[in-house]
Amino acid sequence: MSAPLPGIVITGASGRMGQMLIRSVSENDRMRLAGAVERKGHDWVGRDVGEAMGGAALGVTVTDDALSVFAEAQAVIDFTAPAATVEFAHLAAQARLCHVIGTTGMEEQHLAKIQAAARHAVIVRAGNMSLGVNLLTLLTEKVARALDAEYDIEVIEAHHNRKVDAPSGTALMLGEAAARGRGVALADVADRGRDGITGARQTGDIGFAVIRGGDIVGEHDVMFAAAGERITLRHVASDRSVFARGALKAALWGQDKAPGEYDMIDVLGLRD
Ligand SMILES: NC(=O)C1=CN([C@@H]2O[C@H](COP(=O)(O)OP(=O)(O)OC[C@H]3O[C@@H](n4cnc5c(N)ncnc54)[C@H](OP(=O)(O)O)[C@@H]3O)[C@@H](O)[C@H]2O)C=CC1
Ligand SMILES: O=C(O)C1=N[C@H](C(=O)O)C[C@H](O)C1
């Protein structure tokens, strides 16, 4: 008899990523959809998640009781909001299932709680789950290491008009990679908001610029600008399925790992 397929729970089921993940999990023959979670009072709670999405029934009823579905599953994929993710991390640690976190906009207080939860369960967290962006972080680090501070580093990101956090999680990942390449701490050199008489750019700063508009899925440039030349590394996501693909891979990868916090570089086997 073959082993049962790992059961996957999706939180924030009605969201842009939630719906993409429900579709991806239910179409994947290496896993089964084990639950769909929405917040208390949401009008999807109590409905079949496939029907709530406007399609065929999937045999999974949306619940607001996360722990009840976590207890019967092997992984939860969570693209929601920082406060919700901290709560889910606590429940996932209780149920000892793998928690894949795509949520961005985390502050220190959220990260500390997630780190505590990772003592009891596997957590895979990344501001961007796509293969392309994770490769781009490695390239960014390498280019930043090769160039001196005469090359001004600017990270430019563009997203849809519903996005609530800025700079994006991906932009911050790329900024961290550039800072690592330079051998500095991003917190010491990040320039995140320019407006008015800002003074000239400080040598060594890593600047961030943010665009919000329409239905842009996610675009990121890392620019290295010097006198007489400019290098730009670019990633363009045109479909959210690239994020879902990485998240599903992470959920399977996490099944036999020891408790701890991991990222997509671990999942993709790209760590030196
Ligand atoms: N790491 C990656 O690769 C990617 C990360 N993201 C990140 O994922 C997150 C979600 O993005 P997106 O899908 O576009 O956002 P949406 O706003 O479309 O979806 C968020 C979902 O989470 C739900 N939610 C919020 N709080 C709770 C809660 N307490 N309990 C249950 N559900 C809750 C929302 O419900 P409600 O509508 O009721 O508020 C909503 O359904 C963002 O942080 C985004 O930056 C996005 C794409 C890729
Ligand atoms: O909110 C989004 O949409 C996205 N968020 C992530 C981020 O903050 O970088 C990843 C992706 O760019 C889409």
Side-chain angles (χ1 to χ4, degrees):
M1 224 171 66
S2 52
L5 295 175
I8 313 292
V9 176
I10 305 300
T11 55
S14 73
R16 278 173 290 275
M17 279 307 298
Q19 295 194 47
M20 173 59 73
L21 288 159
I22 299 273
R23 270 192 293 277
S24 305
V25 170
S26 52
E27 288 165 6
N28 190 304
D29 58 12
R30 296 179 61 202
M31 53 184 64
R32 68 187 166 82
L33 184 63
V37 177
E38 257 305 341
R39 68 162 98 225
K40 273 192 184 22
H42 195 283
D43 61 4
W44 282 27
V45 173
R47 297 178 63 195
D48 181 278
V49 70
E51 289 176 350
M53 284 166 55
L58 291 172
V60 169
T61 302
V62 180
T63 182
D64 57 14
D65 180 2
L67 189 56
S68 69
V69 281
F70 285 12
E72 304 297 326
Q74 282 64 52
V76 49
I77 304 182
D78 175 15
F79 287 61
T80 55
T85 290
V86 164
E87 185 62 25
F88 292 136
H90 178 66
L91 300 177
Q94 252 178 278
R96 301 285 195 269
L97 82 171
C98 167
H99 188 187
V100 177
I101 301 176
T103 306
T104 59
M106 305 273 193
E107 291 168 1
E108 284 309 319
Q109 38 148 343
H110 304 117
L111 296 175
K113 289 180 180 151
I114 286 166
Q115 205 176 12
R119 289 204 296 270
H120 309 286
V122 173
I123 293 183
V124 181
R125 187 176 69 83
N128 194 304
M129 300 264 169
S130 74
L131 172 62
V133 158
N134 283 279
L135 284 174
L136 193 66
T137 63
L138 302 181
L139 291 174
T140 297
E141 183 174 344
K142 197 166 185 172
V143 176
R145 183 168 295 122
L147 300 173
D148 62 25
E150 293 306 306
Y151 286 76
D152 296 326
I153 303 177
E154 293 284 311
V155 182
I156 304 126
E157 58 107 328
H159 283 88
H160 53 93
N161 57 21
R162 307 278 88 200
K163 186 161 178 63
V164 296
D165 56 309
S168 68
T170 311
L172 294 171
M173 276 169 69
L174 293 165
E176 291 284 359
R180 258 194 319 278
R182 283 246 166 112
V184 296
L186 182 61
D188 295 340
V189 295
D191 187 356
R192 289 172 56 156
R194 297 184 184 121
D195 188 19
I197 309 296
T198 60
R201 195 185 194 286
Q202 295 290 312
T203 301
D205 273 3
I206 296 178
F208 290 85
V210 174
I211 294 162
R212 292 288 175 265
D215 62 357
I216 302 169
V217 172
E219 302 187 1
H220 293 88
D221 281 7
V222 186
M223 183 189 290
F224 299 83
E229 68 173 354
R230 203 156 69 220
I231 302 164
T232 303
L233 304 177
R234 167 171 296 172
H235 181 267
V236 176
S238 50
D239 191 312
R240 290 187 174 82
S241 61
V242 296
F243 311 131
R245 201 177 303 144
L248 267 57
K249 195 185 257 279
L252 293 176
W253 178 90
Q255 291 309 304
D256 59 357
K257 300 298 176 296
E261 199 174 346
Y262 302 90
D263 61 19
M264 285 304 289
I265 299 292
D266 297 310
V267 173
L268 296 167
L270 297 174
R271 200 164 307 282
D272 286 339

